[in-house]
Amino acid sequence: MVHENIVCSLGKKMEQNGEGALKTPLLQDHGSSSANHSQDTWRSNQNTRKVMFKIQGIKCGSCTVSIESMLGSMEGIESIVVSPLQGQAVVLYKPEVTNAKEIKEVIEDMGYHVNEFPEQDIAVCRLRIKGMACTSCSESVERALLTADGVKKAVVGLALEEAKIHFDPNVTDANHLIEAVEDAGFGADWISSGDDVNKVHLRIEGLQSAEDGILIQSSLNALEGVNYVQMDEKAQKITIAYDPDLTGPRTLLQCCQGAALGPNQYHVSLYTPSRHRETERQHESRVYRNQFLWSCLFSVPVFFSSMVLPMFPSCGDWLDDKLFNNLTIGMLLRWIFCTPVQFIIGWRFYIGTYYALRQCSTNMDVLVAMGTNAAYFYSVYVAIKALTSDSFEGQDFFETSAMLISFILLGKFLEVVAKGKTSDALAKLTDLAPDTAVLLTLDADGKVISEMEISTQLLQRNDVIKIVPGTKVPVDGVVVEGQSHVNESMITGEARAISKKPGDKVIGGTVNENGCIFVRATHVGSDTALSQIVQLVEAAQLSRAPVQKLADKISRFFVPTVVLAAFLTWLGWFIPGEVHLYPSSWIPKAMDGFELALQFGISVLVVACPCALGLATPTAVMVATGKGASHGVLIKGGNALEKAHKVKVVIFDKTGTLTVGKPAVTNTMVFSKIPLQELCELAAVAEANSEHPLAKAVLAYTKKLHEQYGIHSDHTLEPKDFEVHPGAGVSAKVGDRTVLVGNKRLMLASQVPIAPEVQEYVSDTEHLARTCVLIAVDGVLCGAFAVSDPLKPEAQRVVSFLSSMSILSIMVTGDNLATAKAIGNEVGIKTVYAETDPVGKAERIKELQMKGLTVAMVGDGINDSPALVAADVGMAIGAGTDVAIEAADVVLMKSNLEDVVTAIDLSKKTLSRIRLNYVWALGYNILGMPIAAGVLFPFTGIRLPPWLAGACMAASSLSVVCSSLLLQFYQKPLQVQHAQRPEDDSISV
C-alpha cells in the first residue's frame, strides 16, 4: 500500500506494533535550525577524545617520563599512557581545549618522530557560504577548504549557497573551517553537523544566577539519552541534542522545570529558531535592495547631468559653467556624486577582488572593479586636468562607473529574489506537518484518561495521539484504534484516500478525512518520512552534476581571457585612432580617440562576466530535484539526474516491481500422504524467517487455513539450520524433518526426484502466469503451491510508453521461464531472462553496458541491490527493502511504475533546460562581446555603453535563473491511474 511504501522507501523497519523503529536516519547530515548557536556544537557531545600515536625514538624509561610530563603540562590533557616497548602513546584530551595535531607537534618538538598519525574520526558539517557570485567563487571556497588541515572532502553548492565538509575532528574544528572560508574572502555561518540529528530548543524564564544555569545543565546531563547541552544564559535559551530511543523533548522540558530549588520557579517553553536559509536570503535581498537604492540616489543625478539635461539646452546650460579653468559645475557634481558609489557602495567589489587575487583566481568582482576603476580614475584624471589647465577639454565617464555599479546591484537583487523561488517545492514539503497534536494519556487497560494539545515538536516515540477528521497526521506512526481514510497526496501525489485500520501505518503531513483514529508515534523529529525526504532532496541539491564541469572549465580561463580581450579591444581602437586609420567623424562629440577606445574596452570587460554560467546547472538541478520530490520521485543528486536522460534500456524485476508484490496462493496440490494442513505448517515454519514475497504468501495461506478449520496451535515449531538459496528457495530443519521450499532448481540441486505428474502440474501452472512453489520433506516431493501475483495496472502502459520513447524494456527475474514469459507477454516485454540469481542480474546489465547502452534497473528486493548498483541508473520501488533503496540512485516513493517514465522524462527536461541556460549565459557573451567591442559601430553607429553592458550582464544571470524556474511547471507525461489494486487494503507489508 502506498502509505507503507513511503515509509519503507526511506529505509524504515517498523513492525506492525510500531516498536521496531529505525534508529539510523537515511542521511547522516542535514540542515537544522541551530545556525544561531556556536560553531563548536558538533564537538560538545563528548567530554573527552582518545588519540593514539606511534612514536619513534623512545629508548628508555626516562623518555617515557619526559613525554608524559611534557604532555601532562598541556592544558586540556586528561591522561597519558606511553609504552616504551611498543613505542605507542595513548592520550585522552578535551577537544574543546586542544586537538591531536597540537599534541603531535609537542611530541615532535621534543625530538621524537611520530611515525603514524591516525585519523580516527571523520565528522561531517555544513556551512552557509555568503558572497558567492559565480562558479569561480564556489571553486575558490572549495579550494580554500580542501587546503585546510584535516579536511578530507568539501563540496560547495553555488545555488544552494552551502558547503558540505568531511573533516578529521582530531585535526581541525568548525572555527578553523570558517576561518578558511573567510580567508578566501567569503562569509560563513555554521548550519549543522552529523551530530545534529535530534534537537530541542527551549526558552527558560526565571533564571536568577549562573548557578541556576549550571543546575539545569547538570540535571539534563544526568538524563539518559542526552548527548549535549548548550546554554545561552543571556538569552535564557538552551539547546539539547538527544537520542530519541532513550528520551524525548517532553521529558527534557519537564527535567528543566523540575530543576528549580526552593522558591525558584522556571517557566520553560518551546521555541523554534527562524529558518536560517530563508532568513539569510531575506537579509541578502534587503542588503542588495538597500545598496541599489542608495546607489540610485547618487547615480541618478550623475546620469541626468551627463546624459539627460544636456539634451535640453534651456535646462542644462548651467552645467557647462566653468568654476576654475576648464572644470565645469557638471563635472564637479558628477565627481562628488560618483565617489560614494565607487568607494562606499562599491566597496564589496574591492574586497572580492582582493581575496580573489590573493587566492590566485579571478571572478566577477575582478571584472567589475577593473571596469569601474578604469572609468572612474580616468574621469578623475580628466577633472584634475581641467582644473589645472585653461585649454584642456575632455569628457568624463563618471556616469559609466556609477550606473554600472547600480545595474549590477539591481541584477544581484533580482537574482537573489529569483533564486529564493528555486527551493519553493522543498519549502512546501517542510510546511506539511501540523504545528500541534492531541496527546492522549492511557491507563493500564488502554482507556483514555485525558487528552492535551501540545506542540508537534514535543512528541516522543510511543506517544498515542488522537487525529480527528480534517486534521493532519503530525508524525509517522501506527494506527492502534479506529478506522478512517487518509489522503496521502501531499506525499505520494495519489489523490485517492487510503483506508486505515489498526496495524496500518500513517505518514506525518497527510490528511485524515472521515474517521477518528488513535496513532502510536513510531518516528518523530528527523526520523519521520517527511524529514527524510527533505534531507534527501537537500543532499541532491548540493551535489554537482557532471554537466557542470563544462562551466567549471570555462570559468577557469574565462576571466583572464576577457581581460585580455578588453585590453586588445582598447588597443584595437586606440592605435588606429592615433594614426587616423578611421575618420575622426566616428568619434562622438566631446570625446577623443582614447576615451572612445576606453569605453569599448570597459564594455567588453563588463558584458563578458561569467556569473550566469555558474548558475546554469545548479539552479536547474535545485528546481528539478524539488519538483521531482513533489511528484514522488526522489533523485539522489545531479549525477543520477543527468544520467537518466541517456537511458536506452530499462530492466524490470518481476515480483514487487511489475507485479503488485503481494502474491497469494490460488491453488494447492498434494503429491503424498501428508495432509494439506500438516504440509502447509511445515512449509510455513521453513519460510518463517524469509522476507521473500512468495514466503509471505505461503504464511498468509497457512494462517487462513488454520482459521478456516479452527486450528489453534499453542506450540509453534522453530526452524533450525535455516538457509536461503538465492533465486531458488529455502531449506530448514523442522523438528526431525528436512524441509525444502522453492522452485525446480532447488529440488534438482538437492537431488529431489520430480515425478512426471508433478512436472505436468508445474508446467500447467507456469503457463497460467503463476509461480509454482514446491515442498519437499526428507527428500520426497510432497506438494506444491500455485502462487499468483497480479500485475500492476499501469505496467503495460508504462512499457508501451517507454517503447514510444525508443527505450527497450527487459524483464530479469529469478522465477521460472514459463511464468516469466507469460508475465512478459501480458505487459508487452519481449526480452525475458528467467531463473536469474542476483549476480546474474548484474551480469546481464554489464553485458548491455558493454554494447554501449545506458541501462536503468528497476527493482525492490535485496536480491536486486547488486543490479541496482551495477546499472547506470538504479531505481528502487518505494515499497522495497532498505538495501535496495540505499543502493539506488532514484527512489520511486509511490511504488508506481509510471514514475519510471517521470524520472527519465524529468531528466530529459532538466538537461534540456540546462543546455538552454548555457545558451542564455553564453549567448549574452557571444553576442554582447562583439557589439561591446564596437564591431557594429563603423557600419551602424551602434555601440554598447559600459552602463548598458552592466545591465546586459545582470540580465544574463536573471535570465538563467528564470529559465530554471520554468521547470516548476513540469507535468508528468503519464498521470497516475487510480485503479483499485488487488488486496489494496488488506495485508500490511
Side-chain angles (χ1 to χ4, degrees), residues 59 80 100 709 799 947:
K59 299 176 181 178
I80 314 103
Y709 290 99
V799 171
W947 62 270

Side-chain angles (χ1 to χ4, degrees), residues 206-511:
L207 295 177
Q208 298 177 359
S209 64
E211 286 74 17
D212 291 344
I214 294 171
L215 179 63
I216 291 174
Q217 285 182 278
S218 59
S219 299
L220 288 168
N221 282 318
L223 278 179
E224 186 181 12
V226 172
N227 292 332
Y228 70 80
V229 179
Q230 186 176 20
M231 189 150 189
D232 185 349
E233 294 180 15
K234 185 177 291 185
Q236 295 195 335
K237 295 176 181 177
I238 192 166
T239 301
I240 310 153
Y242 62 93
D243 183 346
D245 292 323
L246 303 174
T247 188
R250 204 163 60 255
T251 303
L252 301 173
L253 189 145
Q254 291 166 356
C255 177
C256 293
Q257 289 176 330
L261 292 175
N264 288 352
Q265 290 294 324
Y266 304 137
H267 177 67
V268 186
S269 60
L270 193 72
Y271 86 94
T272 306
S274 59
R275 287 181 184 171
H276 196 68
R277 180 183 300 173
E278 189 59 33
T279 304
E280 280 291 329
R281 187 159 281 134
Q282 290 174 357
H283 173 71
E284 188 180 11
S285 175
R286 282 195 303 270
V287 168
Y288 276 120
R289 182 198 62 192
N290 294 340
Q291 288 185 340
F292 168 67
L293 292 176
W294 277 108
S295 182
C296 284
L297 183 65
F298 292 98
S299 299
V300 169
V302 176
F303 177 75
F304 267 82
S305 70
S306 64
M307 306 190 71
V308 178
L309 292 179
M311 297 171 62
F312 304 96
S314 58
C315 301
D317 284 347
W318 60 276
L319 293 171
D320 294 327
D321 293 343
K322 296 179 180 180
L323 292 172
F324 189 81
N325 287 336
N326 277 342
L327 180 66
T328 63
I329 294 175
M331 191 179 294
L332 181 61
L333 288 176
R334 288 192 289 272
W335 190 359
I336 292 171
F337 279 108
C338 179
T339 300
V341 178
Q342 181 71 35
F343 295 108
I344 299 176
I345 298 169
W347 185 247
R348 62 185 305 119
F349 301 114
Y350 287 97
I351 295 174
T353 299
Y354 166 72
Y355 282 110
L357 295 177
R358 199 176 76 170
Q359 294 286 325
C360 298
S361 65
T362 52
N363 58 15
M364 180 199 79
D365 294 330
V366 174
L367 295 179
V368 174
M370 288 181 66
T372 56
N373 278 326
Y376 178 83
F377 285 108
Y378 175 74
S379 300
V380 170
Y381 162 76
V382 169
I384 294 174
K385 191 77 172 175
L387 178 65
T388 57
S389 172
D390 57 0
S391 60
F392 175 80
E393 290 186 6
Q395 175 68 32
D396 63 88
F397 295 141
F398 285 118
E399 80 283 350
T400 295
S401 168
M403 295 298 294
L404 181 55
I405 290 173
S406 297
F407 273 105
I408 289 170
L409 291 174
L410 174 62
K412 294 303 293 182
F413 167 66
L414 295 175
E415 182 185 316
V416 169
V417 172
K419 278 166 64 178
K421 298 186 181 298
T422 58
S423 55
D424 275 357
L426 195 59
K428 289 176 183 176
L429 279 175
T430 58
D431 289 336
L432 289 180
D435 296 327
T436 60
V438 178
L439 177 67
L440 301 179
T441 304
L442 308 178
D443 61 14
D445 298 325
K447 295 181 180 179
V448 178
I449 300 173
S450 64
E451 57 182 61
M452 175 177 60
E453 187 172 355
I454 65 169
S455 169
T456 302
Q457 296 181 49
L458 291 176
L459 288 176
Q460 301 181 181
R461 277 191 185 147
N462 295 319
D463 280 345
V464 177
I465 50 181
K466 177 182 178 181
I467 304 169
V468 298
T471 60
K472 290 182 178 180
V473 179
V475 292
D476 297 354
V478 176
V479 177
V480 293
E481 186 177 323
Q483 293 189 0
S484 183
H485 285 78
V486 175
N487 186 336
E488 298 184 339
S489 60
M490 287 181 164
I491 300 287
T492 67
E494 293 198 38
R496 67 189 179 98
I498 309 295
S499 173
K500 301 292 180 182
K501 56 186 181 297
D504 287 342
K505 300 164 187 172
V506 290
I507 310 168
T510 56
V511 180

Side-chain angles (χ1 to χ4, degrees), residues 14-124:
M14 297 195 299
E15 297 176 0
Q16 188 165 327
N17 61 5
E19 293 175 358
L22 181 68
K23 300 177 178 61
T24 305
L26 182 64
L27 299 177
Q28 293 300 319
D29 69 294
H30 57 90
S32 73
S33 48
S34 60
N36 58 335
H37 294 293
S38 168
Q39 296 89 353
D40 292 324
T41 298
W42 65 271
R43 54 197 178 100
S44 302
N45 65 329
Q46 291 181 332
N47 292 327
T48 58
R49 277 190 199 276
K50 183 173 72 173
V51 64
M52 183 175 69
F53 301 102
K54 286 188 176 180
I55 305 173
Q56 287 183 347
I58 300 179
K59 299 176 181 178
C60 58
S62 62
C63 297
T64 302
V65 173
S66 62
I67 292 173
E68 289 180 348
S69 60
M70 180 60 74
L71 292 179
S73 63
M74 287 181 64
E75 188 177 356
I77 300 295
E78 293 288 298
S79 67
I80 314 103
V81 177
V82 179
S83 170
L85 294 177
Q86 296 176 341
Q88 290 183 347
V90 179
V91 185
L92 206 63
Y93 66 96
K94 290 183 178 180
E96 63 270 19
V97 179
T98 187
N99 58 47
K101 184 182 178 184
E102 292 178 357
I103 299 170
K104 171 179 176 280
E105 289 173 351
V106 169
I107 298 173
E108 289 181 334
D109 288 343
M110 296 176 65
Y112 299 99
H113 177 68
V114 179
N115 194 33
E116 182 179 328
F117 182 52
E119 298 166 1
Q120 297 177 331
D121 300 306
I122 294 296
V124 181

Side-chain angles (χ1 to χ4, degrees), residues 795-806:
Q796 185 177 1
R797 200 156 66 98
V798 168
V799 171
S800 175
F801 196 90
L802 287 173
S803 178
S804 70
M805 296 170 70
S806 300

